[in-house]
């Protein structure tokens, strides 16, 4: 059995009047994330962790952020495609562990729903997905609610 780990990071700015998509869910929030797609930092970080583990480049390689096809695109589509690419190389996804840093809203009540959305996209069980959240203790751009971050690690495995 060969195993590999991958790491992903993403950041997007926050602005009033925008939607906040996180983990495939649209959350009630005073500010939303700005980006070419739906700016779902959590899914983008997971995509990069999976692509990194399989040595398949990064999300920007496959979904260029100047391509009109991806304008406003739901990031769940990207995760489904990334999973397809990883599985096509003979890997299975074992687990992902993620942390989102943002000041508001509180994510904890929404995490079970995010897991329900993300699990089938990666062909894994909800128990194989960990999503954690922390504020940035009011420090820096996250603390000033100018942006949010997501970090993810993914483990993949295959025979041989
Ligand atoms: Mg992104």
């Amino acid at each position: 059995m060969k195993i590999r780990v991958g790491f992903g990071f993403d950041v997007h700015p926050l602005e009033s009047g925008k939607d906040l998509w996180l983990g495939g869910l649209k959350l009630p929030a005073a500010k939303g994330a700005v980006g070419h797609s739906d700016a779902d930092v959590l899914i983008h970080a997971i995509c990069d962790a999976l692509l990194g583990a399989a040595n398949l480049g990064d999300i920007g390689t496959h979904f260029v952020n100047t391509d009109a096809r991806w304008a406003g695109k739901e990031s769940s589509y990207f995760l489904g495609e990334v999973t397809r690419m990883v599985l096509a190389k003979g890997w299975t996804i074992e687990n992902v562990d993620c942390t989102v840093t943002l000041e508001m809203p509180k994510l904890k009540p929404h995490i079970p729903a995010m897991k329900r959305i993300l699990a089938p996209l990666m062909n894994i069980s909800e128990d194989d997905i960990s999503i954690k959240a922390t504020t940035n203790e009011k420090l820096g751009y996250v603390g000033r609610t100018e942006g949010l971050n997501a970090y993810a690690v993914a483990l993949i495995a295959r025979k041989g």
Side-chain angles (χ1 to χ4, degrees):
M1 183 69 77
K2 185 176 179 72
I3 60 169
R4 281 205 191 146
V5 67
F7 172 74
F9 167 79
D10 197 30
V11 54
H12 279 271
L14 288 168
E15 274 183 18
S16 299
K18 299 284 185 180
D19 291 334
L20 181 61
W21 285 92
L22 263 183
L25 266 188
K26 187 172 146 183
L27 300 182
K31 289 183 171 183
V34 182
H36 184 64
S37 64
D38 66 6
D40 188 324
V41 282
L42 177 55
I43 289 186
H44 294 182
I46 293 171
C47 285
D48 266 3
L50 291 170
L51 290 169
N55 202 2
L56 285 167
D58 60 31
I59 191 169
T61 311
H62 300 283
F63 309 102
V64 181
N65 69 3
T66 51
D67 189 329
R69 279 181 299 168
W70 315 129
K73 190 75 179 175
E74 62 276 14
S75 294
S76 53
Y77 171 81
F78 302 142
L79 184 55
E81 287 299 294
V82 164
T83 297
R84 191 183 54 72
M85 288 181 234
V86 170
L87 299 184
K89 286 191 78 176
W91 297 101
T92 55
I93 299 168
E94 297 296 319
N95 77 300
V96 295
D97 180 28
C98 321
T99 297
V100 179
T101 65
L102 83 171
E103 295 298 315
M104 61 182 78
K106 290 286 178 208
L107 291 194
K108 197 169 184 181
H110 305 292
I111 287 174
M114 291 179 188
K115 290 182 178 182
R116 281 196 294 276
I117 292 168
L118 297 175
L121 292 171
M122 288 186 279
N123 203 24
I124 59 179
S125 76
E126 292 168 33
D127 190 47
D128 294 323
I129 302 170
S130 159
I131 302 170
K132 310 183 299 297
T134 179
T135 72
N136 217 45
E137 299 287 353
K138 298 189 165 56
L139 295 168
Y141 62 86
V142 173
R144 293 188 299 269
T145 73
E146 294 168 2
L148 78 169
N149 296 327
Y151 306 82
V153 290
L155 195 76
I156 60 175
R158 74 178 175 196
K159 289 200 180 79

